[in-house]
Amino acid sequence: MILVTGGAGYIGSHTCVELIEAGYDVLVLDNLSNSSRESIHRVEQLTGKSISFIEGDVRNGDILNVLFNTHPIDAVIHFAGLKSVGESCENPIFYYENNIECTLKLIQAMQDAGVKNLVFSSSATVYGDPQRLPLTEDMPLSATNPYGRSKLIIEDMLRDLPNADRLNQAAQPWSVTLLRYFNPVGAHKSGLIGEDPNGIPNNLMPFISQTAIGKRECLSVFGGDYDTVDGTGVRDYIHVVDLAKGHVKAVDKLLSENGIDGVQAFNLGTGHGLSVLELVNAFKDCNQVDVPYQISGRRPGDVAACYADVSRARDELGWQAELGVRDMVKDSWRWQSRNPEGYSDIMM
Ligand code: NAD
Ligand code: UFG
């Protein structure tokens, strides 16, 4: 059984579908601070399987201990965390408190229970301002905002665990997989689950979809004077279903005979960069909808371009992205147009 913290969220819900389809039993712990119980119902509808769902906070060590004592948990995927860069700059204490304490409580409970297989949701943000592209996992790490720093601190904390295992000659050592996501977009092809941001979206794809459906008047393209193909920012967009499948491969590897030795990081992206305007134009063309936009000033903290070298994930996890930009924009639009208010209509 796999414990999925934050499993009601955007990436977590898609990963639950893929885990269940791969034959794993799933136990979700989520405090629903940025998600809805409805996403779990939809995953159940999609897979035809019921999910053990616990509404609770990962910072609550008592809940964790009960879960480890009452379920045959083999590995944990740890998605739970806060993820808005802007909000983290306004309220860094909140971000450090939530993201770091969740992980501390989780690894303590895992150690106590003797369950030492962990997949952690890291981010390409740990590469800071890229010195060289494409980004490989061994490049220098840095943080440019409190959200990114929380990911970096957690990665560092996790890197200390195998060192302690060696000193303590632990019979059962830690196996930790750090998955560094590039830019997750898209939704399940059923249109039943997708990204449901609170308030005005910070990220590009939900802003495009909400503009296309008329909830937002106009997309601001942040910067038209970068040294890129058309002057707009370039990112490595990855379909969330591909990303979810990457988690299944990571769990398969952790639980296999020749699992992960200590801590290992993997980039999950496509390896290809796409500019803001290329993504906007693909969305318009594939979905035959209009997306009014205007070029505005650069967003502070943005880098010109960021994309992954994905060879380590391909060679060592046997994973690579299969879905392209057409799938990303079509699936995002299907989710948005079928659920204009996200999950919230159902919650009323
Ligand atoms: P999300 O907000 O949709 O999902 C996170 C889930 O964690 C939510 O369901 C939320 O309710 C839950 N949660 C938060 N704090 C909790 C706590 N203390 N206890 C229990 N549950 C808690 O976000 P997502 O996009 O699915 O991201 C999942 C993970 O991936 C996060 O750790 C995020 O930082 C990381 N990540 C996301 C992106 C991205 O662009 N979406 C990129 C890189 C990394
Ligand atoms: N952009 C716009 N207009 C918008 C929103 C974004 O032009 O309204 C542009 C940005 O300037 C950037 C690109 O679209 O060039 C992508 O921006 P996002 O905000 O969607 O994504 P980021 O690359 O800034 O960051 C995302 C997550 C971070 C994560 C990072 C790497 O938000 O949490 O990917 O994984 F760390």
Side-chain angles (χ1 to χ4, degrees), residues 85-150:
V85 172
E87 192 181 44
S88 79
C89 296
E90 285 157 21
N91 199 346
I93 299 172
F94 182 45
Y95 268 64
Y96 291 127
E97 199 271 327
N98 192 77
N99 292 1
I100 293 170
E101 195 177 346
C102 273
T103 312
L104 271 178
K105 288 284 165 55
L106 177 67
I107 56 181
Q108 182 67 62
M110 290 177 71
Q111 176 141 298
D112 293 347
V115 177
K116 295 168 86 177
N117 296 315
L118 175 65
V119 177
F120 173 62
S121 289
S122 190
S123 164
T125 192
V126 299
Y127 295 114
D129 196 349
Q131 307 295 305
R132 213 158 21 91
L133 291 170
L135 287 156
T136 51
E137 289 86 350
D138 52 5
M139 281 185 178
L141 305 179
S142 67
T144 53
N145 56 68
Y147 164 72
R149 196 161 293 110
S150 76

Side-chain angles (χ1 to χ4, degrees), residues 153-314:
I153 291 170
I154 293 167
E155 282 205 2
D156 282 338
M157 275 167 31
L158 297 175
R159 274 187 281 269
D160 285 335
L161 300 177
N163 298 335
D165 281 339
R166 276 188 286 277
L167 288 174
N168 301 324
Q169 295 178 334
Q172 191 201 356
W174 280 93
S175 292
V176 179
T177 302
L178 309 173
L179 297 181
R180 296 182 180 149
Y181 314 150
F182 280 67
N183 289 58
V185 294
H188 192 271
K189 63 180 182 316
S190 62
L192 281 174
I193 55 172
E195 186 170 12
D196 184 15
N198 271 333
I200 302 172
N202 297 306
N203 296 116
L204 180 61
M205 186 66 103
F207 207 106
I208 292 176
S209 315
Q210 291 196 7
T211 307
I213 208 162
K215 282 176 84 171
R216 313 273 157 217
E217 255 176 44
C218 181
L219 167 75
S220 292
V221 175
F222 298 141
D225 57 352
Y226 286 110
D227 183 15
T228 59
V229 59
D230 55 19
T232 66
V234 165
R235 295 291 182 276
D236 186 341
Y237 297 95
I238 167 144
H239 197 294
V240 67
V241 170
D242 274 333
L243 193 66
K245 289 181 175 167
H247 290 74
V248 176
K249 291 287 190 187
V251 168
D252 289 347
K253 173 82 178 170
L254 275 182
L255 300 179
S256 70
E257 288 271 302
N258 53 344
I260 292 286
D261 184 16
V263 178
Q264 185 80 265
F266 296 93
N267 289 337
L268 295 188
T270 62
H272 304 290
L274 211 62
S275 77
V276 174
L277 289 185
E278 284 172 328
L279 190 68
V280 170
N281 288 329
F283 194 99
K284 286 162 67 165
D285 293 348
C286 293
N287 296 317
Q288 294 295 302
V289 288
D290 192 23
V291 181
Y293 70 84
Q294 62 184 23
I295 308 281
S296 66
R298 293 182 179 190
R299 184 171 64 176
D302 272 354
V303 299
C306 174
Y307 51 92
D309 180 313
V310 289
S311 42
R312 184 184 283 177
R314 184 195 59 216

Side-chain angles (χ1 to χ4, degrees), residues 68-82:
F68 281 106
N69 287 331
T70 53
H71 294 79
I73 297 169
D74 302 298
V76 179
I77 306 182
H78 180 34
F79 291 109
L82 303 170

Side-chain angles (χ1 to χ4, degrees), residues 39-52:
S39 70
I40 298 291
H41 293 314
R42 301 272 182 105
V43 172
E44 290 177 325
Q45 188 182 336
L46 258 170
T47 58
K49 295 262 167 61
S50 68
I51 290 188
S52 308

